[in-house]
Amino acid sequence: MRKIYDFIIKTRLHVGAIYFFVCYNIIEGTAHVNPTNYLPVIVSFTIWHFALYLFDRAYDANLDYLNNPSESLKGKWTKYFLYFSVFIAFLPLLILFYFSYSIIPYLFLLPITFFYNLRVFSQQRAIKHFTLLKNLYSAIFIWPFPIAIILHYYVGMPNSILEIMIWFWSFVAYVLMGEIIWDMRDVDGDREEKIMTIPVVFGLLKTRFFLFILLALTIIINFVLFENFNYILVLFYSIYILISSPKLPKWLFHFPLFLSLFYYIFVFIRV
């Protein structure tokens, strides 16, 4: 069991599983259609999401080793994980083609898979080296943007990608906060590698202050415009904003992810 757990944590397989259920539930709740009719699409985009995370883990295995050796993919298998991530990034093209879905919308995602890590800017920098930009990249392009593509191009919602993304503003805000919280975990390694995250640039105290302002604004807007207030979600974010630091045991950062995954599975089975 320990080896299975380590494999899941190192490859972020649990994050990919969560993305499957997020896609499934949003398609059902937003488009009011049966998501099972679009399973090949949901599976394809989930594979892409997993490929992106796996590529990130393998490509920057040395950085992950600095932050947390036990979760790093650094070792003799690193390059094979890297090759495998590239392979499965292209695999959805075959799945979509086999089930007679257009592959063109999916092609928009392929550059996103690798652009986060590749050193294409001056001084060997990538998107992930720029303050806040790395978080926005994930909060916009890695999580809600693919779902917007599914809703518009595959489900057939008449709204534009931009309109759908505006609907997802709360989704973007919560992912953004989650990404910054994880940067608080990795602040030591990021500082050594000159990855200028918000905690590295401004310190943990100011980062917490910024996160609480962002959380408060999200709550207020949600409550005023939609009369929506998720107490459990707000509680979890508040706790993690307060306690997150490099000293916090690493498994505690995965705890809410596994809790969410088990909840999604429980609801899925019951339905």
Side-chain angles (χ1 to χ4, degrees), residues 11-264:
T11 61
R12 298 296 191 256
L13 186 60
H14 58 317
V15 178
I18 289 172
Y19 196 72
F20 171 86
F21 289 109
V22 170
C23 287
Y24 192 96
N25 291 339
I26 288 180
I27 290 171
E28 184 176 40
T30 304
H32 306 294
V33 296
N34 187 351
T36 56
N37 295 334
Y38 303 93
L39 273 181
V41 176
I42 298 173
V43 170
S44 295
F45 279 61
T46 299
I47 292 173
W48 169 82
H49 194 266
F50 174 63
L52 186 150
Y53 269 81
L54 187 61
F55 181 82
D56 174 55
R57 303 287 297 162
Y59 190 87
D60 277 332
N62 291 332
L63 172 60
D64 291 332
Y65 188 81
L66 287 174
N67 285 316
N68 188 5
S70 64
E71 290 187 14
S72 172
L73 287 177
K74 183 178 181 181
K76 63 179 181 179
W77 296 102
T78 302
K79 64 178 181 180
Y80 297 108
F81 280 114
L82 188 66
Y83 298 152
F84 181 66
S85 67
V86 175
F87 169 74
I88 62 174
F90 286 89
L91 182 60
L93 293 172
L94 299 177
I95 297 173
L96 293 170
F97 179 79
Y98 179 81
F99 287 97
S100 301
Y101 287 101
S102 173
I103 65 172
I104 295 176
Y106 182 81
L107 293 175
F108 288 111
L109 296 181
L110 283 178
I112 295 174
T113 315
F114 314 109
F115 191 54
Y116 179 74
N117 295 88
L118 296 180
R119 272 62 172 171
V120 295
F121 299 98
S122 62
Q123 300 177 347
Q124 289 294 300
R125 292 181 298 175
I127 285 287
K128 67 188 302 178
H129 289 88
F130 292 91
T131 307
L132 187 60
L133 188 59
K134 70 182 293 289
N135 308 115
L136 289 172
Y137 189 90
S138 180
I140 294 173
F141 294 109
I142 297 178
W143 284 85
F145 180 65
I147 302 176
I149 289 178
I150 295 175
L151 290 171
H152 179 73
Y153 288 104
Y154 293 104
V155 177
M157 288 185 65
N159 309 86
S160 68
I161 296 290
L162 180 59
E163 287 176 323
I164 296 173
M165 289 296 294
I166 291 173
W167 293 347
F168 286 164
W169 72 268
S170 181
F171 187 11
V172 171
Y174 279 114
V175 174
L176 177 62
M177 286 185 280
E179 290 289 327
I180 297 173
I181 287 171
W182 274 70
D183 285 342
M184 295 167 73
R185 180 188 97 145
D186 297 334
V187 66
D188 291 338
D190 288 339
R191 183 181 291 113
E192 186 171 339
E193 286 293 306
K194 295 181 173 57
I195 296 179
M196 308 310 291
T197 63
I198 290 177
V200 169
V201 175
F202 298 104
L204 294 179
L205 184 61
K206 291 181 180 178
T207 300
R208 290 192 179 96
F209 183 70
F210 170 74
L211 286 171
F212 272 120
I213 291 176
L214 184 56
L215 180 62
L217 289 174
T218 305
I219 293 170
I220 292 170
I221 295 173
N222 260 329
F223 188 76
V224 172
L225 296 183
F226 307 105
E227 297 184 358
N228 181 23
F229 185 79
N230 190 322
Y231 293 92
I232 296 177
L233 189 62
V234 171
L235 178 63
F236 263 102
Y237 270 91
S238 299
I239 291 173
Y240 274 87
I241 290 171
L242 286 172
I243 67 175
S244 292
S245 77
K247 297 179 181 179
L248 189 69
K250 306 301 182 185
W251 67 267
L252 276 174
F253 287 89
H254 295 278
F255 174 72
L257 298 178
F258 279 110
L259 194 63
S260 299
L261 180 58
F262 293 148
Y263 171 77
Y264 282 132

